[in-house]
């Protein structure tokens, strides 16, 4: 008796009715689309959360440099791809990081709002405290100033001293007014519902202003109107994006240090796996602190232990002795911490301001 054939719902290829999977495309022949199936497919397709994730976890954490060397040597189906592994772990880490820093972001927002409100109130109070100099004293003082060869009586010296003090006060008030004039005018325009063009004019923006200067003024206006609310959250949002540039730079430094021992692609594999391990450690620190408040010195000690992990990883992956590896680790750390990270921080601050 001939076995009944069915049609695959995905590729529409004929197959035997007893098949559980299509021999052409690999899809299950019978699979109801439940929430569990949808969730599992999402995780599997976008994060490759399968057996390779667990198989890669143990050697990644407990055998520094081993999994990167295995992947470079050709065992690429046995372990999870380094970029996919990094993507999954980084999503988990930044999710936990956003939760743990939420209260801090709210506190910063409150401080910024309070600081801006206090600054505006101080400027307004200072400008209203203008002292009027007595006209008679002013006249006498001006006469003394115009005749410097006269013998100046004691009472006239007191008048002159009063004039100097009044000039000092007025000069300081002029400085305050010069610094706060734009903000006072801007506050008035905002309260009156002025157009964006009118408010930007306070920043000196005209029709001939360049694109960059106009953009900076526009972002400054937005920051002023919102009292800096959400600026820290916007900065945190730039960190995941910046990592896609920091990892290749890290790999490039490794390539220069080991230019005879590996290709740039090999250093990229090593970098992806190392930063994956780094995010795993940081995620565990955050998770534990959600349950138990661990002392900060323990958190820092665990975080700094990743340096020793990096040392062993470099030795195993590139195959050089500990002495040479320590020297190159010092060069790597010094270059990355003293030049790459500060420059990246500045770029992140600028990007935060421009994208705020």
């Amino acid at each position: 008796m001939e076995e009944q054939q069915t049609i695959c719902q995905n590729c529409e290829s004929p197959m035997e009715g007893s098949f559980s999977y299509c021999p052409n495309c690999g899809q299950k022949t019978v699979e109801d689309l439940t929430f569990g199936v949808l969730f599992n497919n999402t995780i599997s397709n976008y994060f490759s959360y399968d057996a390779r994730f667990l198989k890669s976890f143990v050697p990644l954490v407990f055998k520094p440099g081993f999994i990167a060397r295995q992947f470079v040597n050709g065992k690429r189906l046995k372990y999870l791809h380094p970029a996919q592994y990094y993507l999954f772990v980084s999503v988990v880490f930044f999710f936990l990081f956003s939760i743990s820093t939420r209260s801090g972001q709210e506190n910063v927002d409150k401080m910024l709002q309070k600081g801006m409100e206090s600054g505006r109130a101080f400027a307004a109070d200072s400008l209203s405290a203008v002292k009027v100099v007595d006209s008679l004293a002013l006249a006498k003082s001006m006469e003394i100033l115009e005749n410097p060869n006269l013998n100046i009586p004691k009472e006239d010296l007191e008048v002159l001293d009063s004039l100097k003090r009044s000039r000092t006060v007025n000069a300081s008030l002029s400085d305050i007014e010069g610094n706060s004039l734009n903000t006072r005018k801007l506050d008035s325009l905002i309260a009156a519902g002025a157009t964006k063009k009118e408010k930007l004019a306070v920043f000196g923006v005209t029709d001939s202003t360049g694109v960059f200067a106009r953009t900076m003024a526009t972002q400054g206006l937005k920051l002023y109107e919102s009292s800096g609310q959400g600026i820290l959250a916007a900065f945190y949002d730039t960190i995941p994006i910046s990592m896609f540039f920091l990892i290749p730079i890290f790999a490039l430094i490794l390539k220069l240090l080991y230019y005879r021992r590996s290709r740039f692609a090999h250093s990229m594999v090593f970098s992806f796996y190392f930063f994956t391990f780094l995010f795993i450690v940081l995620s565990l620190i955050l998770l534990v602190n959600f349950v138990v408040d661990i002392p900060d010195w323990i958190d820092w000690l665990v975080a700094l232990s990743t340096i020793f992990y990096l040392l062993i990883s470099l030795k195993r992956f590139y195959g050089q002795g500990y002495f040479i590896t320590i020297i190159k680790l010092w060069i790597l750390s010094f270059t990355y911490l003293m030049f790459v990270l500060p420059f990246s921080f500045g770029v992140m601050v600028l990007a935060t301001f421009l994208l705020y």
Side-chain angles (χ1 to χ4, degrees), residues 118-152:
S118 299
R120 293 170 185 172
F122 173 77
D125 293 341
S126 299
L127 290 171
S128 63
V130 179
K131 295 182 178 180
V132 179
V133 182
D134 182 77
S135 58
L136 180 60
L138 180 61
K140 284 189 175 184
S141 301
M142 293 302 296
E143 182 181 352
I144 294 172
L145 290 176
E146 292 174 358
N147 298 276
N149 296 324
L150 295 177
N151 294 323
I152 304 175

Side-chain angles (χ1 to χ4, degrees), residues 185-243:
K185 184 177 180 181
L186 187 58
D187 289 336
S188 301
L189 291 173
I190 293 174
T195 63
K196 181 179 178 181
K197 183 177 181 180
E198 292 173 331
K199 289 183 285 188
L200 286 177
V202 179
F203 292 87
V205 176
T206 62
D207 294 336
S208 61
T209 302
V211 176
F212 180 76
R214 182 181 294 273
T215 301
M216 296 293 288
T218 301
Q219 294 304 108
L221 174 62
K222 186 186 299 184
L223 185 67
Y224 184 85
E225 290 181 317
S226 63
S227 297
Q229 299 300 291
I231 188 68
L232 184 60
F235 175 77
Y236 286 154
D237 290 340
T238 64
I239 299 178
I241 301 175
S242 66
M243 293 305 300

Side-chain angles (χ1 to χ4, degrees), residues 141 156-166:
S141 301
D156 288 340
L157 286 175
E158 294 177 354
V159 173
L160 183 59
D161 183 65
S162 175
L163 175 64
K164 290 180 178 179
R165 288 198 303 269
S166 66

Side-chain angles (χ1 to χ4, degrees), residues 30-305:
V30 179
E31 185 178 51
D32 294 332
L33 187 59
T34 62
F35 177 77
V37 172
L38 179 63
F39 179 78
N40 181 67
N41 289 341
T42 302
I43 296 297
S44 299
N45 291 335
Y46 292 98
F47 299 109
S48 294
Y49 185 85
D50 51 22
R52 290 182 300 164
F53 181 91
L54 298 177
K55 288 181 180 178
S56 304
F57 182 83
V58 174
L60 175 64
V61 174
F62 298 102
K63 295 183 178 180
F66 173 80
I67 188 173
R69 173 49 58 188
Q70 290 288 93
F71 190 88
V72 168
N73 288 341
K75 296 183 179 180
R76 297 168 189 171
L77 293 179
K78 183 177 180 180
Y79 302 105
L80 193 60
H81 192 280
Q84 291 176 319
Y85 212 160
Y86 168 80
L87 177 62
F88 178 81
V89 173
S90 64
V91 168
V92 174
F93 166 73
F94 285 113
F95 173 75
L96 296 174
F97 180 76
S98 64
I99 296 176
S100 64
T101 58
R102 185 172 301 168
S103 60
Q105 295 175 22
E106 294 175 354
N107 292 334
V108 170
D109 290 342
K110 292 178 182 178
M111 290 174 58
L112 288 173
Q113 185 174 13
K114 185 177 179 180
M116 287 195 175
E117 290 176 353
S118 299
R120 293 170 185 172
F122 173 77
D125 293 341
S126 299
L127 290 171
S128 63
V130 179
K131 295 182 178 180
V132 179
V133 182
D134 182 77
S135 58
L136 180 60
L138 180 61
K140 284 189 175 184
S141 301
M142 293 302 296
E143 182 181 352
I144 294 172
L145 290 176
E146 292 174 358
N147 298 276
N149 296 324
L150 295 177
N151 294 323
I152 304 175
K154 181 179 179 180
E155 58 270 15
D156 288 340
L157 286 175
E158 294 177 354
V159 173
L160 183 59
D161 183 65
S162 175
L163 175 64
K164 290 180 178 179
R165 288 198 303 269
S166 66
R167 285 186 170 182
T168 302
V169 171
N170 289 332
S172 62
L173 289 175
S174 298
D175 292 338
I176 295 174
E177 184 175 4
N179 292 330
S180 62
L181 178 62
N182 288 345
T183 59
R184 287 196 303 136
K185 184 177 180 181
L186 187 58
D187 289 336
S188 301
L189 291 173
I190 293 174
T195 63
K196 181 179 178 181
K197 183 177 181 180
E198 292 173 331
K199 289 183 285 188
L200 286 177
V202 179
F203 292 87
V205 176
T206 62
D207 294 336
S208 61
T209 302
V211 176
F212 180 76
R214 182 181 294 273
T215 301
M216 296 293 288
T218 301
Q219 294 304 108
L221 174 62
K222 186 186 299 184
L223 185 67
Y224 184 85
E225 290 181 317
S226 63
S227 297
Q229 299 300 291
I231 188 68
L232 184 60
F235 175 77
Y236 286 154
D237 290 340
T238 64
I239 299 178
I241 301 175
S242 66
M243 293 305 300
F244 282 99
F245 298 95
L246 291 175
I247 292 178
I249 295 175
F250 187 86
L252 178 61
I253 299 174
L254 286 176
K255 170 59 182 175
L256 295 176
L257 291 174
Y258 296 96
Y259 66 96
R260 292 182 178 179
R261 288 182 170 264
S262 69
R263 301 175 181 175
F264 177 72
H266 296 177
S267 296
M268 280 292 295
V269 170
F270 178 90
S271 301
F272 270 124
Y273 278 128
F274 170 70
F275 278 93
T276 300
F277 169 79
L278 183 62
F279 283 153
I280 288 176
V281 173
L282 296 178
S283 299
L284 290 176
I285 293 176
L286 293 177
L287 283 173
V288 173
N289 278 277
F290 285 150
V291 180
V292 181
D293 189 12
I294 299 178
D296 292 340
W297 68 270
I298 296 180
D299 293 338
W300 281 105
L301 185 63
V302 174
L304 291 175
S305 67

